[in-house]
Amino acid sequence: MAAPTSPQEAHPTGALAEYVPGLATVRSYDRRWLGKDVVAGLVLSALLVPQGMAYAELAGLPAVTGLYTSILCLLGYAVFGPSRVLVLGPDSSLGPMIAATITPLVLAGGDPERAIAYASVLSLLVGLVMVLAGTAHFGFVADLLSKPTQIGYMNGLALTIIVGQLPKLLGFSVDADGLIAEARAFVEGVADGATNPTAALLGVASLAGILVLSRVVPKLPAVLVVVVIASLTVNLLDLTERGVDTIGVIPQGFPPLTVPTVPWGDLPALLLGAVAIAVVALADTMSTASSFAARRGDRVRGDQEMIGIGAANVLAGLFQGFPVSTSGSRTAVADQAGSRSQVTGVVGAVVITVVLVFATGAMEYVPQPVLGAIVIAAALSLADLPATRRLWHQRRTEFTLSIIALLGVALLGVLPGILLAIALSILNVFRRVWWPHQAELGRVDGLDGLHDTDQYPHAELMPGLVVFRFDAPLIFANSRMFGDAVRAMVEEQPDLRWVLVAAEPMTDVDTTAADMLVELDEWLNARGVSLAFAEVKDPVRAKLTRYELERTIDPTHFYPTIDEAVAAYAAQTGETWRPTKETP
């Protein structure tokens, strides 16, 4: 059955609509969706306003920039994004990366205007990287983060965020950088009595309220409820007199179009941060998009997702915003509220704009400890301890990779941590090719085919024959290992006459490996042993022919199946399968 089509597929509008899916959405929009989209947009905006401000401060920026960013990224993705349901916005996982990128470049003491300029340039760079990568069909880049390293990175990020927000939650601040230093400063601050009891009570109660309401009444906008109650409490009880810090007055009105500028010498550091942010944003987007597309029967367009996220970041960067990504939690809220299209995001952007133009005074009393509680609650959702435990039980090597990624983020910092996570993912792939599983195969009574004798020690073997399987493409990195393994088998079995390579897992043979096979075949022939192959894939066989291996290796020793190869050996030698290994 054909997969359901998205609106842009059902109502094509030419080449332009391929890159501007919003055009197809407008043409195919069903008016019956409008009511649900408006309601979902109103519900969504209740989450976007407080989270946007909280995540802006997490990135080291004024709270109002979170609102600017939310508006523009929602509009940008509505025009260029291919998904009908994904919601973009400021994200807890990107906040520390933004801060880690721009903080070293901002002058000591901090300058909000300078920080906004750097963050906006960073957003533009992220957008350009994403758009160029999407246009060049680089959607596969999301695969650079394997699931175990992504789990470890997110766990480390959650730990870093929580430790960094604990002082704000309890009503004081620390001057420290890095997980260890921040944790030490927090403990010393609590020990020295720096905690503000009123602020701490408000922060802890807010955190508990968000967590409890989200679990007990998931459809209720818990963050908005807590923010409203806390703000009213601060205002009515005049808690600012007791040292409770609030957001204060924020600028009123829509942000003007601004082309940010920074010194040319700072661009390389910003570009490095932009690439790291783009990889994380893409990986997060692809996982979220895949999940929700599966529910709706849609397909994921990875390259267009990159263009959509890139356009959202470019637009945010031109209006004093900072880099954004897809939010799984906000997407889930929109989906549960009945969202049918990106009109939901447009409604959310309009609501936030109305708040900025007419109701900024309503946010004056939002307490800083509550923003800390919002960020900590988001960080807790980033951590995935059950998945970490599952890795421990399922595969210890991947558990180890996850823990190394966690420690990389926690001890080295956010940007080095993500680079380490990417490097670990790539090295893990290379490790599997470099040190692949290899096995001697035998016949097992009651099972079709041949099987690993390590797994079936009682397997029958045929005297003088070794059936050897090497579970990887044969390339420069592992060719010596292959040759050494075959030589070891020959030396351990002086009566060996054939080495039959079960070549089905070999998807490639490069020139280095081809030279090794020539040398190996000559070495075997000198000892009266033949080298044979079974189930060589056609593209690989074509390469072996091009490498002229058949001048050394007997062309008749290439067999379409293992059974035919074994039958040829048995006909030549008169041998049969025998139980040559004892069961332990």
Side-chain angles (χ1 to χ4, degrees), residues 434-520:
W434 191 5
W435 299 323
H437 179 262
Q438 46 191 298
E440 181 180 348
L441 306 182
R443 191 175 71 170
V444 180
D445 187 32
L447 295 178
D448 293 334
L450 301 184
H451 302 273
D452 189 340
T453 57
D454 286 337
Q455 299 295 319
Y456 297 93
H458 61 284
E460 296 178 341
L461 302 179
M462 191 170 288
L465 171 69
V466 163
V467 183
F468 178 57
R469 191 183 67 210
F470 194 75
D471 293 342
L474 196 56
I475 60 173
F476 69 94
N478 59 30
S479 61
R480 184 175 61 83
M481 175 182 291
F482 179 94
D484 289 347
V486 172
R487 286 181 172 89
M489 287 186 292
V490 172
E491 291 172 351
E492 290 173 3
Q493 304 179 50
D495 60 342
L496 206 59
R497 284 180 278 181
W498 269 37
V499 173
L500 173 61
V501 179
E504 195 274 335
M506 290 184 183
T507 55
D508 191 19
V509 176
D510 69 7
T511 56
T512 302
D515 291 341
M516 178 276 298
L517 289 175
V518 170
E519 295 174 4
L520 179 63

Side-chain angles (χ1 to χ4, degrees), residues 203-226:
V204 172
S206 297
L207 177 59
I210 293 172
L211 297 177
V212 171
L213 287 177
S214 298
R215 180 176 292 273
V216 176
V217 195
K219 292 188 177 181
L220 189 71
V223 171
L224 179 65
V225 171
V226 167

Side-chain angles (χ1 to χ4, degrees), residues 41-83:
L42 293 173
V43 172
L44 183 63
S45 62
L47 189 63
L48 289 170
V49 172
Q51 282 192 343
M53 294 189 296
Y55 297 161
E57 294 201 342
L58 178 62
L61 298 165
V64 70
T65 60
L67 303 184
Y68 299 160
T69 302
S70 298
I71 294 171
L72 276 307
C73 74
L74 288 172
L75 295 176
Y77 190 81
V79 176
F80 294 98
S83 171

Side-chain angles (χ1 to χ4, degrees), residues 159-356:
L159 179 62
T160 301
I161 292 173
I162 291 170
V163 170
Q165 293 294 308
L166 283 176
K168 179 186 285 190
L169 186 75
L170 301 186
F172 68 99
S173 61
V174 298
D175 184 13
D177 185 28
L179 178 68
I180 303 298
E182 288 180 342
R184 183 184 299 114
F186 170 71
V187 173
E188 291 174 351
V190 173
D192 294 341
T195 301
N196 181 309
T198 304
L201 178 61
L202 194 63
V204 172
S206 297
L207 177 59
I210 293 172
L211 297 177
V212 171
L213 287 177
S214 298
R215 180 176 292 273
V216 176
V217 195
K219 292 188 177 181
L220 189 71
V223 171
L224 179 65
V225 171
V226 167
V227 167
V228 170
I229 293 175
S231 301
L232 289 174
T233 302
V234 170
N235 188 16
L236 295 175
L237 301 182
D238 198 15
L239 296 184
T240 54
E241 294 296 320
R242 298 188 182 183
V244 176
D245 195 13
T246 64
I247 291 178
V249 178
I250 65 173
Q252 188 173 21
F254 195 81
L257 173 66
T258 306
V259 179
T261 58
V262 298
W264 284 101
D266 291 337
L267 285 178
L270 288 173
L271 183 58
L272 177 62
V275 171
I277 289 171
V279 171
V280 172
L282 179 60
D284 190 28
T285 296
M286 293 306 291
S287 61
T288 303
S290 299
S291 173
F292 283 92
R295 298 181 190 179
R296 291 171 170 246
D298 295 334
R299 66 183 179 92
V300 177
R301 298 169 57 193
D303 294 328
Q304 187 60 40
E305 286 292 356
M306 295 182 81
I307 294 174
I309 301 170
N313 275 284
V314 169
L315 202 57
L318 293 174
F319 288 86
Q320 302 179 31
F322 51 86
V324 298
S325 176
T326 300
S327 167
S329 61
R330 291 190 287 271
T331 300
V333 168
D335 187 54
Q336 291 172 0
S339 173
R340 302 302 300 271
S341 73
Q342 283 298 328
V343 171
T344 294
V346 174
V347 172
V350 170
V351 172
I352 298 173
T353 302
V354 170
V355 170
L356 271 174

